[in-house]
């Protein structure tokens, strides 16, 4: 089903299984070296099915179920559909930027087909979605897809619930700001807000009554996530998250050509996660569309290097990330 302003009937479960940005796709990310792709992400989803069914959880996917809006591999789609249909409760899916060709979900997007065929329930428009009965508590759940405004007031969205939970897919400034990122803010009537889109697990931030969480994705797409541990998360009736490790190999990236001098690892990580790296990884960026070879972004980044006296180790990583982003954009 595709939900656009309508709600699902109340559902009883033991909690919600939160699944971050699977990015299912037949195209292997540039530096992944898996012998068979996309077995790694499908295995993680299969483990999510087992966890959800064993513990009576309703699955929630935070967006970017697909890596491309139109997935051309029919066999992959068939296998994914079989996996998703094995969930006892139908997955509730937010719409991410990789799921759409335009500003909103359309019939031309693969995710829409899965929704129309009742494989998943897809939320295409921001708003309240469903009420979950978890034990003796009632939890109201809403979603905001990528590119739509996060509401500032949820009062009146649900009547008599014990917890208001909202799910988003946005650039949120959890750990320092960068261009275009929205700082966590108090959402009236919202107890917990769970964000996708940002692939690394972030520390929780509380703004007013609202606790902002970013669990991170289950599928490592780029080398800056080499140390990220893929997990699903159980959201309980009190708004707490419990981590569930998923099967994964630690060494999955080909680091050939990475010229990284000895440097303080923490410093490098902080630099790489700064604003301009986020810009580089945004495949939908206006600058990449304006210049297919990434020259506009490259000029801005090089100027930023000079301005900040960026260490050579970080420059090497960022330049490589830009090349990967341009390559993905050219192939999309």
């Amino acid at each position: 089903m595709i939900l656009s302003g309508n709600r699902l009937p109340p559902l009883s479960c033991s909690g919600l299984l939160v699944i971050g940005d699977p990015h299912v796709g037949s195209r292997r990310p540039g530096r992944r070296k898996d012998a068979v792709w996309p077995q790694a992400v499908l295995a993680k989803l299969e483990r999510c099915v087992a966890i959800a069914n064993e513990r009576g959880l309703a699955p929630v996917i935070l967006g970017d179920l697909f890596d491309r809006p139109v997935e051309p591999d029919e066999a992959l789609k068939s296998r994914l559909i079989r996996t998703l249909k094995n969930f006892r409760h139908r997955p509730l899916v937010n719409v991410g930027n990789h799921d759409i060709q335009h500003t909103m979900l359309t019939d031309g997007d693969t995710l829409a087909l899965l929704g129309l065929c009742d494989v998943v329930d897809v939320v295409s428009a921001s708003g309240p979605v469903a009420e979950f009965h978890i034990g003796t508590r009632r939890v109201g759940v809403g979603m905001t897809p990528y590119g739509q405004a996060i509401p500032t007031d949820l009062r009146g969205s649900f009547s008599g619930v014990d917890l208001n939970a909202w799910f988003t897919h946005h650039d949120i400034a959890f750990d320092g700001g960068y261009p275009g990122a929205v700082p966590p803010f108090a959402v009236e009537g919202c107890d917990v807000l769970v964000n996708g889109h940002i692939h690394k697990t972030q520390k929780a931030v509380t703004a007013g009554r609202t606790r902002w969480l970013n669990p991170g994705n289950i599928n490592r797409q780029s080398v800056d996530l080499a140390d990220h541990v893929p997990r699903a998360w159980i959201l309980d009736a009190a708004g707490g998250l419990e981590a569930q490790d998923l099967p994964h190999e630690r060494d999955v990236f080909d680091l050939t050509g990475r010229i990284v001098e000895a440097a303080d690892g923490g410093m490098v990580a902080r630099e790489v996660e700064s604003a301009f790296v986020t810009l580089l990884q945004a495949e939908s960026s206006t600058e990449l569309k304006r210049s297919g070879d990434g020259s506009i972004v490259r000029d801005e980044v090089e100027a930023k290097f000079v301005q900040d006296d960026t260490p050579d180790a970080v420059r090497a990583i960022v330049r490589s990330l830009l090349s990967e982003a341009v390559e993905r954009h050219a192939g999309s």
Side-chain angles (χ1 to χ4, degrees):
M1 180 185 299
I2 295 180
L3 303 174
S4 180
N6 51 328
R7 303 189 192 190
L8 296 169
L11 175 67
S12 295
C13 59
S14 298
L16 307 180
L17 185 66
V18 179
I19 303 168
D21 299 30
H23 282 275
V24 175
S26 52
R27 181 178 58 186
R28 179 167 51 192
R31 287 188 174 269
R32 291 282 304 218
K33 60 180 183 181
D34 309 69
V36 179
W37 185 264
Q39 176 58 32
V41 64
L42 292 175
K44 291 177 178 62
L45 286 173
E46 289 163 2
R47 178 57 187 152
C48 288
V49 171
I51 294 170
N53 291 348
E54 288 168 5
R55 301 185 61 168
L57 306 170
V60 175
I61 298 176
L62 296 179
D64 288 350
L65 174 57
F66 288 99
D67 192 47
R68 288 183 283 179
V70 180
E71 172 50 55
D73 190 327
E74 297 298 329
L76 171 58
K77 285 186 282 190
S78 295
R79 184 174 175 187
L80 175 62
I81 288 170
R82 289 192 194 97
T83 298
L84 294 172
K85 288 175 75 71
N86 282 332
F87 279 109
R88 188 166 296 128
H89 297 295
R90 186 186 297 170
L92 182 62
V93 182
N94 204 356
V95 175
N97 54 308
H98 281 253
D99 294 316
I100 52 178
Q101 301 176 79
H102 307 294
T103 57
M104 295 186 70
L105 190 72
T106 67
D107 286 349
D109 300 319
T110 301
L111 180 58
L113 180 63
L114 267 61
L116 291 167
C117 294
D118 290 341
V119 176
V120 295
D121 291 321
V122 182
V123 179
S124 64
S126 181
V129 174
E131 183 179 305
F132 292 87
H133 296 172
I134 303 176
T136 60
R137 292 173 64 86
R138 297 165 57 195
V139 177
V141 168
M143 282 188 170
T144 298
Y146 177 81
Q148 299 180 31
I150 300 173
T152 58
D153 192 341
L154 302 185
R155 291 173 297 183
S157 297
F158 295 95
S159 176
V161 297
D162 300 292
L163 183 85
N164 264 326
W166 207 264
F167 295 86
T168 60
H169 192 96
H170 275 258
D171 284 309
I172 305 297
F174 279 91
D175 186 15
Y178 55 85
V182 177
F185 58 91
V187 180
E188 295 292 339
C190 180
D191 299 291
V192 59
L193 192 148
V194 185
N195 187 57
H197 190 53
I198 299 173
H199 289 174
K200 180 173 283 190
T201 306
Q202 303 290 319
K203 293 181 180 179
V205 175
T206 300
R209 167 181 168 178
T210 310
R211 187 167 180 251
W212 292 69
L213 306 169
N214 194 97
N217 72 346
I218 66 168
N219 182 22
R220 293 165 292 169
Q221 296 284 99
S222 54
V223 294
D224 57 312
L225 295 173
D227 294 330
H228 172 69
V229 179
R231 297 183 175 104
W233 300 77
I234 298 175
L235 181 71
D236 61 28
L241 283 181
E242 175 191 341
Q244 301 290 309
D245 286 1
L246 300 177
H248 66 280
E249 298 290 335
R250 179 171 177 81
D251 180 21
V252 295
F253 292 105
D254 179 2
L255 301 179
T256 302
R258 289 283 180 177
I259 305 173
V260 181
E261 301 173 356
D264 175 74
M267 177 277 294
V268 172
R270 288 192 297 273
E271 292 282 355
V272 169
E273 290 175 15
S274 66
F276 51 89
V277 174
T278 302
L279 179 62
L280 296 183
Q281 293 179 300
E283 294 182 23
S284 61
S285 83
T286 302
E287 286 75 11
L288 283 181
K289 292 181 179 179
R290 287 167 55 198
S291 61
D293 62 356
S295 59
I296 295 175
V297 176
R298 184 175 288 108
D299 289 345
E300 293 179 359
V301 168
E302 292 295 338
K304 181 75 171 173
F305 286 160
V306 174
Q307 176 184 331
D308 294 350
D309 194 20
T310 304
D312 289 341
V314 176
R315 295 189 190 204
I317 294 174
V318 173
R319 286 170 180 148
S320 182
L321 287 171
L322 174 57
S323 297
E324 291 173 16
V326 171
E327 180 181 348
R328 288 196 300 269
H329 177 72
S332 61

